[in-house]
Structures are given as structure tokens and as C-alpha cells.
Amino acid sequence: MAEALSVKPIFEAMPLSINKDAAKDANTVYQFNLSGDGGGQFAVRIKHGDCTVEEGTAAAPDVTICAAATDYMDIVTGAYPFGLAFVNGRLKVEGDLRLLIRMGKYFAPSA
């Protein structure tokens, strides 16, 4: 049986792929709780163009994102649209949804 894919490499790559210019005014903590095989909990801090990721939970996140790890992988890779995942309840968000949408800009390639 094949081993489940892990979301961990996605989070490990975040500090390397941050668009520093887009995130220069940011000061936000994102908590990801991804269940099932290959999942985990990750606290992503974006502050003044820098990104740090820690396994575990943040004390007071601005936004908490919950999903099955397989669904999150599908969203990140573009196999399942973010909006559809949110509407269908496959991605649950607690906190300011605008901050989650803004996160897409923080990791978009520089223009």
C-alpha cells in the first residue's frame, strides 16, 4: 500500500516562497489543523515580509483553517477550487476570512 502524501513539505516551503513585497505590511498568524493521513497542525506567522512555520498550535491565531489533509492538498495543487471547498464545507475557516484570501497574495509570484 502506498504511503499517504504529507502536507509537511508544503509548510516547509512557505518561508522560501513568500512574496516579501506583497507581505511587507502583514502581521498575521494562521493556524492550520489538517486531519487524517499526512495531516498535522502548523502555525504560520507572516510578519513584515517574513514567514515562519512551526509544527503545533499558535496561542492566539488570527485565522484557523481546518480541513482533511487530502482536501488541503487538492486545494493547494489547484485540483479542487478554494471557493468550492469553502462552500461545500471541506475547508472550514474561523476568524477573518479576508486574511485567508490575502494569504494567496503573500505566496503569489512577484510581478
Side-chain angles (χ1 to χ4, degrees), residues 32-106:
F32 288 84
N33 299 325
L34 305 174
S35 61
D37 289 343
Q41 294 181 305
F42 300 89
V44 178
R45 289 174 176 77
I46 300 174
K47 185 172 182 177
H48 306 304
D50 289 320
C51 174
T52 58
V53 177
E54 296 176 10
E55 282 193 70
T57 57
D62 298 296
V63 182
T64 300
I65 300 98
C66 300
T70 53
D71 287 339
Y72 184 74
M73 293 282 281
D74 287 344
I75 294 164
V76 169
T77 61
Y80 197 77
F82 164 79
L84 190 58
F86 180 73
V87 170
N88 289 338
R90 293 174 96 174
L91 180 77
K92 294 183 177 21
V93 180
E94 295 175 18
D96 191 342
L97 180 61
R98 293 174 298 175
L99 292 175
L100 180 60
I101 293 168
R102 198 173 298 150
M103 189 177 185
K105 294 179 182 167
Y106 298 157

Side-chain angles (χ1 to χ4, degrees), residues 14-29:
M14 283 180 159
L16 303 173
S17 58
I18 187 88
N19 180 329
K20 290 185 176 288
D21 191 49
K24 68 183 176 195
D25 296 325
N27 187 9
T28 307
V29 177

